[in-house]
């Protein structure tokens, strides 16, 4: 945990006119260290230390974020929502590299904003759908070639299955204890590669994708209106299925990602309908028939890939995601595979709802 002196040592390298007087850690991310800081003139900022073990090509990550933030700045008049604004360093960069070779970003805090790990009601889900849908629409004019793939094959199923197989071979965990999960990984394996295969064959258009479209990456005001999409760390060229599937995984689940009581983990079909209703407002005319056809499969695919990644990290001894206790990644994996089963058993209704809102 850092102290106020350290925070100030970092913050003074950015163009802010006053000292930081208090700060708190924002706990919801699994990768970076993020702090809400308050200055003596009562201004608030978000200070973030980027995890360079995960983001190896950190300069490319910064470039991607800057391109997008600059683009949003250039189209503010047509934007319905606020966007992430970076504060420059005294040498006009958006990243400060400290003497320990840690990389820091400072962003303007969007006032009176709230985040949630679990959706509270259909209105909130509808708003989330609208924001992520508008994000896709607004970025459809940006050249995907301007963005670097900062984590290669981030959502590639063959790559993630390869990492899982290696972890399973080398793990110190007694794999008899996770037999049930291994069966799920095995049984779904083939079907879960279909979307990656379509991408590999260039059958889906490349878009600027957010790649971490969970509920907590949307800011809401106190009345539940969507304010902004945050966390530009994983902006990369990708396909719509990564973002749509990941949203449903997070926003339409009845429980948080590491809920241990699996009886509480289900897909909420009312939420799914609300998300489609909101998301389709901006995207229906942008998405092709083929993209729409594969939206339902993207849900299972993104749930499976997250379950697989959590399980892989558990087998590896928790070296990637932050954990509060040693079994947390296992809890997350069990949770995701329960959600996968729930989605599978509601497949027909999911197809019907999707057709209802996306039919041209
Ligand atoms: C990680 O750090 P955070 O919470 O923004 C992860 C995402 C996962 C997410 C699961 C770079 O995001 O891919 O979906 O956890 N980010 C990275 O909650 O791996
Ligand atoms: Mg993220």
């Amino acid at each position: 945990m850092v102290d106020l002196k350290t925070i100030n040592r970092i913050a003074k390298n950015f163009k802010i006119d006053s000292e930081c007087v208090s700060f708190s850690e924002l706990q919801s991310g699994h990768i970076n260290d993020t702090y809400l800081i308050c200055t003596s003139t009562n201004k608030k900022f978000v200070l973030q230390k980027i995890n360079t073990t995960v983001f190896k090509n950190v300069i490319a990550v910064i470039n991607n974020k800057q391109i997008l933030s600059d683009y949003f700045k250039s189209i503010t008049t047509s934007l319905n929502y606020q966007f992430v604004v970076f504060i420059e360093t005294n040498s006009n960069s958006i990243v400060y590299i400290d003497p320990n070779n840690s990389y820091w970003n400072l962003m303007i805090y969007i006032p009176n904003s709230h985040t949630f790990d679990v959706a509270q009601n259909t209105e909130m889900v509808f708003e989330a759908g609208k924001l992520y849908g508008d994000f896709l629409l607004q970025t459809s004019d940006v050249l995907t070639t301007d963005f670097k793939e900062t984590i290669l094959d981030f959502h590639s199923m063959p790559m993630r299955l390869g990492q899982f197989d290696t972890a399973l071979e080398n793990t110190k965990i007694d794999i008899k204890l996770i037999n049930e999960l291994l069966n799920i990984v095995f049984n779904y394996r083939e079907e879960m590669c279909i979307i990656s295969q379509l991408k590999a064959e260039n059958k889906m258009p490349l878009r600027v994708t957010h790649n971490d479209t969970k509920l907590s990456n949307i800011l809401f005001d106190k009345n539940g209106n969507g304010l902004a999409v945050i966390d530009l760390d994983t902006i990369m060229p990708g396909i719509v299925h990564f973002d749509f599937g990941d949203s449903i995984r997070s926003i339409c689940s009845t429980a948080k990602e590491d809920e241990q009581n699996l009886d509480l983990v289900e897909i909420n079909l009312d939420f799914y309908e609300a998300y489609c209703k909101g998301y389709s407002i901006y995207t229906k005319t942008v998405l092709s028939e083929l993209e729409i056809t594969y939206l339902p499969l993207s849900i299972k695919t993104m749930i499976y890939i997250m379950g697989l990644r959590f399980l892989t990290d558990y087998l590896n001894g928790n070296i990637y995601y932050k954990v509060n206790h040693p079994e947390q990644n296992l809890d997350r994996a069990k949770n995701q595979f329960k959600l996968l089963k729930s989605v599978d058993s509601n497949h027909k209704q999911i197809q019907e709802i999707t057709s209802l809102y996306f039919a041209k």
Side-chain angles (χ1 to χ4, degrees):
M1 182 70 181
V2 297
D3 56 14
L4 191 60
K5 218 166 126 193
T6 315
I7 295 276
N8 266 309
R9 210 173 326 125
I10 306 300
K12 75 167 197 272
N13 295 282
F14 289 89
K15 290 178 187 164
I16 50 173
D17 52 12
S18 49
E19 211 179 308
C20 166
V21 288
S22 62
F23 76 99
S24 57
E25 184 163 6
L26 299 172
Q27 306 271 8
S28 94
H30 297 352
I31 307 286
N32 293 325
D33 296 337
T34 313
Y35 307 94
L36 174 63
I37 69 172
C38 184
T39 69
S40 53
T41 50
N42 220 8
K43 288 190 188 130
K44 286 183 178 161
F45 298 93
V46 175
L47 180 67
Q48 191 161 58
K49 181 163 113 184
I50 302 168
N51 178 329
T52 46
T53 313
V54 167
F55 296 107
K56 294 202 165 58
N57 189 354
V58 60
I59 291 299
V61 173
I62 306 286
N63 281 342
N64 283 355
K65 297 205 233 193
Q66 177 134 40
I67 293 170
L68 198 69
S69 178
D70 288 349
Y71 175 73
F72 283 144
K73 224 179 277 172
S74 74
I75 57 158
T76 30
T77 46
S78 66
L79 281 184
N80 297 315
Y81 310 102
Q82 299 177 57
F83 56 95
V84 177
V85 176
F86 293 95
I87 304 289
E88 285 192 343
T89 64
N90 297 327
S91 44
N92 306 322
S93 159
I94 66 160
V95 64
Y96 166 65
I97 308 170
D98 75 13
N100 301 323
N101 217 24
S102 296
Y103 287 65
W104 297 84
N105 277 151
L106 188 71
M107 292 153 277
I108 294 179
Y109 170 75
I110 298 181
N112 305 316
S113 55
H114 307 270
T115 57
F116 298 87
D117 288 327
V118 182
Q120 312 286 298
N121 49 49
T122 48
E123 290 77 24
M124 177 175 276
V125 176
F126 173 74
E127 279 292 305
K130 259 179 32 192
L131 260 75
Y132 280 131
D134 197 28
F135 184 89
L136 181 125
L137 178 70
Q138 299 293 347
T139 55
S140 41
D141 289 338
V142 190
L143 282 178
T144 51
T145 46
D146 286 349
F147 293 86
K148 297 250 161 36
E149 203 176 332
T150 48
I151 302 181
L152 214 59
D153 293 330
F154 191 49
H155 292 316
S156 155
M157 197 63 82
M159 190 282 265
R160 294 299 181 186
L161 282 165
Q163 290 182 332
F164 172 76
D165 291 341
T166 310
L168 192 60
E169 231 175 86
N170 300 320
T171 190
K172 296 192 179 71
I173 304 280
D174 177 3
I175 61 169
K176 281 200 277 324
L177 301 173
I178 56 162
N179 217 3
E180 213 181 305
L181 296 185
L182 295 182
N183 284 337
I184 300 176
V185 171
F186 183 79
N187 292 339
Y188 280 90
R189 219 175 152 113
E190 229 169 280
E191 187 190 6
M192 294 301 100
C193 287
I194 294 175
I195 287 187
S196 284
Q197 186 60 30
L198 289 165
K199 180 171 181 287
E201 290 168 0
N202 299 320
K203 297 241 170 76
M204 296 295 173
L206 274 188
R207 300 182 175 280
V208 176
T209 45
H210 181 281
N211 294 304
D212 193 12
T213 47
K214 50 187 181 185
L215 183 64
S216 57
N217 280 334
I218 289 194
L219 303 182
F220 294 91
D221 72 11
K222 68 174 188 331
N223 300 319
N225 300 310
L227 289 175
V229 169
I230 57 165
D231 184 0
L232 307 184
D233 290 343
T234 45
I235 297 292
M236 280 184 259
I239 57 176
V240 61
H241 306 90
F242 298 160
D243 283 358
F244 184 81
D246 199 21
S247 281
I248 307 309
R249 171 190 86 80
S250 155
I251 302 170
C252 301
S253 173
T254 48
K256 59 183 176 20
E257 197 176 67
D258 52 4
E259 174 59 58
Q260 292 170 324
N261 180 353
L262 299 184
D263 291 339
L264 300 179
V265 185
E266 301 272 356
I267 182 85
N268 180 326
L269 291 177
D270 292 336
F271 283 4
Y272 183 61
E273 179 157 7
Y275 192 87
C276 288
K277 198 172 166 190
Y279 192 76
S280 59
I281 295 174
Y282 295 114
T283 59
K284 194 172 155 177
T285 51
V286 179
L287 298 177
S288 72
E289 292 285 0
L290 192 68
E291 286 178 298
I292 293 168
T293 306
Y294 283 94
L295 290 180
L297 183 59
S298 79
I299 305 169
K300 283 198 282 180
T301 307
M302 292 310 292
I303 296 171
Y304 179 90
I305 208 166
M306 291 306 162
L308 194 66
R309 288 176 60 196
F310 289 138
L311 191 55
T312 303
D313 200 32
Y314 174 68
L315 295 174
N316 284 336
N318 308 319
I319 53 175
Y320 186 91
Y321 294 110
K322 288 182 187 175
V323 287
N324 296 326
H325 59 91
E327 306 279 291
Q328 194 171 10
N329 273 318
L330 180 62
D331 291 342
R332 290 169 176 151
K334 285 181 181 165
N335 175 306
Q336 296 296 292
F337 289 135
K338 166 69 201 298
L339 186 61
L340 177 69
K341 284 189 170 163
S342 170
V343 168
D344 223 0
S345 47
N346 287 287
H347 189 64
K348 202 164 164 278
Q349 293 94 311
I350 288 175
Q351 289 280 8
E352 283 167 7
I353 295 168
T354 318
S355 307
L356 186 67
Y357 286 95
F358 290 91
K360 304 236 183 191

